[in-house]
Each structure stands twice: as structure tokens, then as C-alpha cells.
Amino acid sequence: MNEERRGVYPFCAPCTASSEAWAAETAGPMGSRFYGHRDVCENCGSSVRTLYNTVLWLPVSKVGQFRIIPTGGRTYVGRKVVTLPVQTVVRREPVSAIARHPELDADPGYQQAEVYWDDHEPGRALPFYQSALTEREKVLAADDPATLRVRLRVAQGLLATRNYGRAIAWFELLTPQLTQVFGPHHELTRAATEATTGARLMVGGPRSEAQLLADIVAADEDSLLARDPQVVRDRAALGRALLACGDISEALEALTQVVRDATPGHPDTAVYRAALAEACEIAEGRGKKREVQLAEAARRVLTGEGAPTSM
């Protein structure tokens, strides 16, 4: 494999650098369709196409431009073409509270995790990072920059050891938090976004992802309490996978349970609430009776007295 090919599979490096990971949104009341076929890449074979929202197969609004590689039939993998803005103001690196807890970075277990990671042994590093994360979350916020860096290592370790379902669950939780804390173009945010795409390519599509996560949630429920963070995180990923499959009712039920079980005031709760709100919007847009009823019930959970909040 030469340098040109060292991008995010199956895209080459130049095409990866000029685009960002993207997954097709769940279809709402309108359809969508690609038009055009230009800038074919000689390295990976991808081409740039323009995606439009359509009504009765007629384009009505432009969504954006995407690099597309067909995978057979009507299936494809895609990346959104981006032009990174010229930043006149450099975003400051967020400040962590870890300065008040130097023992966390000095912990021998964390130091061992870093050694294994630098030696390209993620499987051996993973349990040490998981232990270090537990210790950090005792004294630091879940969205503290220092916590997020170790959370990302845990997610990357799960991906490297082929635990794709739990990796996806972690990355889906992490990506909005990394975007909020570090910004959308930070190397950590991009690493999480790219990793989510890679994990999903390995799983093989929304249906396979939903089945994998359903099995993981079932295993969680056999061994953990309902409000355990792992159960909540994995069930949230299942809800989003069901949403991507178009199983709106099942997605609403799963995500509503997630928000009910979420810890009030915890940073993760904001991510879960946003996912449920998105599912409600899709259900309301489709207008199907059962889905609308479930969305109404979900809205009551989001807004009712005593509902978990992100504040």
C-alpha cells in the first residue's frame, strides 16, 4: 500500500483529506437523490456527486457535495466534501481541571497504558485506559478535556480489538462532546468521526449494526443494572441504529428509556436528549399515528418535571 492509498478505507489519502466522514440521514417526508458524476479519483475511484432533496423525484433543495464509491446495486459509501475555512482566530485549547489532580497523569496504570499505546499494542493498553477513565471520572467531569482524551483512547481500543458495537456506542457519545469542547476540525474530533465510519464499514450497514447492538444490550441487561452507564450508552447506540434503519417506533422506545435512565446533570445526558429530540422530529415529520404518539410521550419525558437535563 503506497502513501496515496493510506486514507480511510476505501478512500485514498487525498480524498480523505478533502472530505469528512458522513452517514446518510434517515429519510423523512422527502426523498433524496445524487446528481452528477465528476472529479473521478484515479487512486480510489471515488467521484464527486451532488445530493438533492427531492419531491416526486424532482430536486427541490441542495444538500451538499459528496465523494461516492459504489459498493454494488444501490449501495455506496460516501464522504462529505469540505472546504476548511481559513481561521482568522485560532481556537484556544480548552483548559482542563486536571492541573488540580496531577496524580491522575502520574498514576502507574495510566503511564503503562500510554507505553502500550505508543508501542502499538491497543489490546494491552485498553484495560489500563478503562481503569484510568474510572479514576478520572471520580474527580473530573465527563466532558473535561483530560477525561475526553482517555474516553477516546477507550473507544479506539475497543475498535482496535474488534469490539465494534461498543466502539460505535462510545464514538457516538464522544463525537458531539469533542465537537463542543475542541471544535469540529480538531484532530481528536476528526479521529472520532473517522473511527465511527470505519467501525460501521466493518459491521456492514445499519441492519447489521442494530442486530449487533441488540445482542450487546441483551448481554448488558443480563449482567448490569438498568441505569449502569454502559447499559445506557449501548442502548442509546441501539436507538440510533434503529433510527438509521427506519424503525422509528423502536428507536423512540429505546431512546426514551435511555433518557429516563440517564443521570441528571451528567454531560452524557445532553447527547442522549439530543438523539431523542431528533427521533421525535423525524417521527413528527413522517406523521404516522403510532410514531407521533410515541414522539408525544417522548416529548413529555424531555420536558416533564423531574426529567434529566443537560444543565
Side-chain angles (χ1 to χ4, degrees):
M1 180 180 290
N2 59 37
E3 291 298 327
E4 289 295 293
R5 291 294 307 163
R6 289 178 182 169
V8 176
Y9 180 84
F11 296 87
C12 66
C15 290
T16 297
S18 63
S19 61
E20 63 184 8
W22 169 77
E25 296 180 354
T26 305
M30 296 192 300
S32 59
R33 185 175 179 179
F34 285 108
Y35 289 85
H37 177 70
R38 62 183 181 82
D39 293 344
V40 179
C41 177
E42 295 181 358
N43 296 310
C44 63
S46 66
S47 64
V48 174
R49 306 185 187 187
T50 303
L51 182 63
Y52 285 87
N53 287 321
T54 60
V55 175
L56 298 178
W57 300 282
L58 297 176
V60 294
S61 62
K62 182 178 177 180
V63 177
Q65 292 186 324
F66 300 83
R67 279 212 162 267
I68 299 298
I69 297 180
T71 55
R74 296 185 177 182
T75 62
Y76 60 87
V77 289
R79 295 177 59 81
K80 188 173 184 180
V81 176
V82 295
T83 301
L84 296 181
V86 177
Q87 297 184 355
T88 55
V89 178
V90 177
R91 182 165 178 159
R92 292 182 179 178
E93 189 76 8
V95 177
S96 170
I98 199 170
R100 299 195 295 272
H101 304 278
E103 72 279 2
L104 294 173
D105 278 345
D107 178 72
Y110 175 72
Q111 293 295 324
Q112 184 64 70
E114 294 282 84
V115 170
Y116 282 140
W117 191 267
D118 290 341
D119 288 343
H120 306 288
E121 297 187 71
R124 300 181 73 179
L126 178 58
F128 289 97
Y129 277 129
Q130 289 171 321
S131 178
L133 179 59
T134 299
E135 294 305 310
R136 288 183 185 225
E137 291 188 331
K138 289 178 181 178
V139 294
L140 300 176
D143 58 354
D144 182 277
T147 309
L148 287 175
R149 291 177 185 275
V150 178
R151 282 184 154 206
L152 180 59
R153 282 287 185 256
V154 169
Q156 291 171 322
L158 289 168
L159 178 58
T161 54
R162 302 182 181 181
N163 198 334
Y164 300 124
R166 289 212 167 99
I168 288 171
W170 263 116
F171 285 124
E172 286 188 340
L173 176 61
L174 272 171
T175 304
Q177 295 175 337
L178 290 167
T179 302
Q180 179 68 30
V181 174
F182 291 97
H185 303 302
H186 193 278
E187 60 179 352
L188 298 180
T189 309
R190 289 180 64 86
T193 306
E194 302 291 3
T196 308
T197 302
R200 288 195 166 121
L201 284 171
M202 298 304 297
V203 169
R207 284 289 170 196
S208 298
E209 182 181 330
Q211 184 57 61
L212 174 61
L213 286 163
D215 293 341
I216 289 174
V217 169
D220 287 344
E221 292 173 343
D222 285 342
S223 58
L224 300 170
L225 298 175
R227 294 177 182 269
D228 187 280
Q230 178 175 298
V231 179
V232 177
R233 184 171 58 247
D234 292 341
R235 187 181 287 120
L238 172 59
R240 284 186 285 259
L242 291 168
L243 195 63
C245 292
D247 298 335
I248 310 303
S249 295
E250 292 84 350
L252 281 166
E253 290 172 342
L255 292 170
T256 299
Q257 187 62 48
V258 165
V259 172
R260 286 197 181 105
D261 292 340
T263 302
H266 195 280
D268 293 350
T269 303
V271 179
Y272 302 142
R273 287 170 61 84
L276 180 56
E278 178 188 1
C280 289
E281 291 175 3
I282 292 172
E284 291 157 356
R286 283 162 55 103
K288 294 185 177 182
K289 183 177 179 180
R290 172 166 169 73
E291 294 173 3
V292 170
Q293 289 174 339
L294 288 169
E296 290 174 351
R299 293 286 189 192
R300 289 194 292 272
V301 172
L302 287 170
T303 61
E305 183 178 354
T309 68
S310 60
M311 301 304 290

